[in-house]
Amino acid sequence: MGRLFLIDLEENFYSCKNCETPIALVNHLLSMNYECPFGRAYLFDKVVNVLDGERDEPIPESNSTMVHLFCVQCQYTVGFKFVRRAVLESQRSKIILIRCFLTPSFGGTTKESLSLQG
Ligand SMILES: [Zn+2]
């Protein structure tokens, strides 16, 4: 596998649970309470260090398809995005990261204390 965009995120961020590659900044978090078929999830407007899955899976009775997202480093599934057709470019996709596949990295705060929140 080729491309590797590892960037140094100095702010608070979420990383891949498997290899701890930074995946998303807290600043890009839109919702912490998104429910998806895989359980509790976070909704982001932007993510980094992920690869799109090869296949779009149509969602029945909707104008959308679903694309799986993988960690660029370890290819672990971290979430997916909904891609809507025939709408403005800026509204086209929703990026959903599945909570149980992420590790929060918030400054000096420990994972243990974060797991008690929300
Ligand atoms: Zn990873």
Side-chain angles (χ1 to χ4, degrees), residues 27-97:
N27 286 348
H28 295 143
L29 183 63
L30 301 177
S31 169
M32 293 185 78
N33 295 306
Y34 196 83
E35 294 291 335
C36 77
F38 306 96
R40 200 81 171 276
Y42 296 138
L43 183 65
F44 287 90
D45 65 355
K46 197 173 181 182
V47 292
V48 296
N49 294 327
V50 297
L51 294 169
D52 286 6
E54 290 180 1
R55 206 155 48 96
D56 281 15
E57 298 176 24
I59 299 165
E61 297 172 25
S62 127
N63 198 25
S64 307
T65 55
M66 188 178 91
V67 180
H68 287 265
L69 297 174
F70 303 94
C71 170
V72 74
Q73 176 87 327
C74 69
Q75 325 289 298
Y76 198 78
T77 299
V78 291
F80 53 91
K81 68 180 174 187
F82 287 120
V83 182
R84 290 156 68 199
R85 280 172 286 156
V87 289
L88 296 173
E89 184 71 25
S90 62
Q91 303 174 338
R92 252 172 39 122
S93 55
K94 270 199 290 195
I95 299 163
I96 291 130
L97 298 180

